[in-house]
Amino acid sequence: MDRSMEVMEKIGQRIERIKDILPEYIGYHQKEYIADSDRLLRHHLAREMEKYKRSLQLVREKLSLEGGITVADKLQDTILRMEKLEHEFRSSSYETDEYKHLGEISEDKLEQVYNYDIALLDHIEGLNSATDRLDELRDSPESFKRAFSFLKEALDNLEEQFKRRGHILRIS
C-alpha cells in the first residue's frame, strides 16, 4: 500500500473515531464541510468546558464553606482560565480566507488536523475525570494538590493542542 492510501485510511479511521463522539461531524476533506465540522467540534469542546467549569465551581463552593479559602481562591483562578478557554472555543473561527487554502490541504496536514481534533476530544474528557477527582479528594490535602496539578496540566495540554490545531488551519 502506498503512502497516500495509508494516510487516507488513517484519516478515515480518525473521522470514524470522532463521529463516535460527534455523529454530525463530516471532516475537512471536502471544502464545503470545513466550517461546519470546525464549528461542531469547537462548540462541543465549549459545552464540555462549561460543564466541567460548573463542577469546579461546586467544588470551590464546598471548599469555601469548609474553610479552604486559599485553595478556593486557586480554584477560582482555574475557573477563570476555563471560562477564557471556553470563550476561545466558541468564538474562534477559521471561516475566513484561510479556508480557501484548506481545499488544497496536503494529506499530511489533513492527518495532523484530525490528530489534533482527536487529541482535543481526549483532553477535554480528561478534564472530566480531573474535576470529579477534586471533589472526591477535598478532605485529603496532598491528594487534592496532586489532582489539582493534574487538572492544570490537562488544561495546559488542551490549550496547546487547540493553538497548534489553529495554526495548521490558518497556514495550510
Side-chain angles (χ1 to χ4, degrees), residues 13-107:
Q13 292 169 351
R14 285 166 176 82
I15 291 171
E16 289 306 312
R17 185 167 169 213
I18 295 168
K19 281 184 173 187
D20 287 345
I21 298 168
L22 301 169
E24 304 88 15
Y25 184 88
I26 297 171
Y28 312 109
H29 55 286
Q30 292 180 342
K31 193 173 183 176
E32 62 269 18
Y33 301 123
I34 293 170
D36 292 337
S37 292
D38 172 59
R39 188 175 18 267
L40 180 69
L41 178 86
R42 287 183 299 97
H43 285 228
H44 172 77
L45 295 170
R47 284 189 308 273
E48 293 297 296
M49 183 65 74
E50 183 179 24
K51 181 173 67 174
Y52 305 146
K53 182 184 68 178
R54 281 193 309 264
S55 295
L56 201 56
Q57 286 169 330
L58 291 173
V59 172
R60 183 188 175 282
E61 289 171 15
K62 290 176 186 177
L63 283 167
S64 290
L65 292 172
E66 295 166 357
I69 302 300
T70 304
V71 176
D73 287 344
K74 288 180 183 177
L75 284 179
Q76 183 60 31
D77 292 342
T78 303
I79 290 166
L80 292 173
R81 184 174 173 206
M82 291 172 108
E83 282 179 1
K84 180 182 176 234
L85 197 50
E86 176 191 346
H87 177 73
E88 285 180 36
F89 291 152
R90 288 193 197 282
S91 63
S92 294
S93 178
Y94 306 110
E95 295 180 50
T96 60
D97 289 340
E98 287 86 6
Y99 267 129
K100 294 176 184 172
H101 301 291
L102 285 175
E104 315 288 324
I105 191 169
S106 71
E107 289 175 354

Side-chain angles (χ1 to χ4, degrees), residues 1 5-20 111 114-115 118:
M1 184 181 318
M5 293 281 293
E6 213 174 285
V7 168
M8 292 312 288
E9 186 176 310
K10 285 180 183 178
I11 287 172
Q13 292 169 351
R14 285 166 176 82
I15 291 171
E16 289 306 312
R17 185 167 169 213
I18 295 168
K19 281 184 173 187
D20 287 345
E111 183 180 20
Y114 288 122
N115 286 341
I118 288 171

Side-chain angles (χ1 to χ4, degrees), residues 69-170:
I69 302 300
T70 304
V71 176
D73 287 344
K74 288 180 183 177
L75 284 179
Q76 183 60 31
D77 292 342
T78 303
I79 290 166
L80 292 173
R81 184 174 173 206
M82 291 172 108
E83 282 179 1
K84 180 182 176 234
L85 197 50
E86 176 191 346
H87 177 73
E88 285 180 36
F89 291 152
R90 288 193 197 282
S91 63
S92 294
S93 178
Y94 306 110
E95 295 180 50
T96 60
D97 289 340
E98 287 86 6
Y99 267 129
K100 294 176 184 172
H101 301 291
L102 285 175
E104 315 288 324
I105 191 169
S106 71
E107 289 175 354
D108 288 340
K109 287 197 178 198
L110 190 59
E111 183 180 20
Q112 287 177 352
V113 173
Y114 288 122
N115 286 341
Y116 283 123
D117 285 2
I118 288 171
L120 287 167
L121 292 169
D122 288 346
H123 287 303
I124 199 81
E125 184 56 36
L127 288 179
N128 183 31
S129 62
T131 54
D132 287 348
R133 295 279 299 150
L134 284 176
D135 192 28
E136 295 167 6
L137 299 171
R138 282 190 341 266
D139 297 330
S140 176
E142 203 52 45
S143 296
F144 184 90
K145 185 178 179 181
R146 283 192 302 273
F148 185 61
S149 290
F150 178 80
L151 172 66
K152 288 171 45 176
E153 185 178 314
L155 277 171
D156 289 344
N157 290 332
L158 182 66
E159 193 169 21
E160 182 62 27
Q161 295 297 319
F162 188 66
K163 285 179 184 175
R164 288 181 180 182
R165 176 184 178 269
H167 181 69
I168 288 174
L169 287 174
R170 281 187 216 104

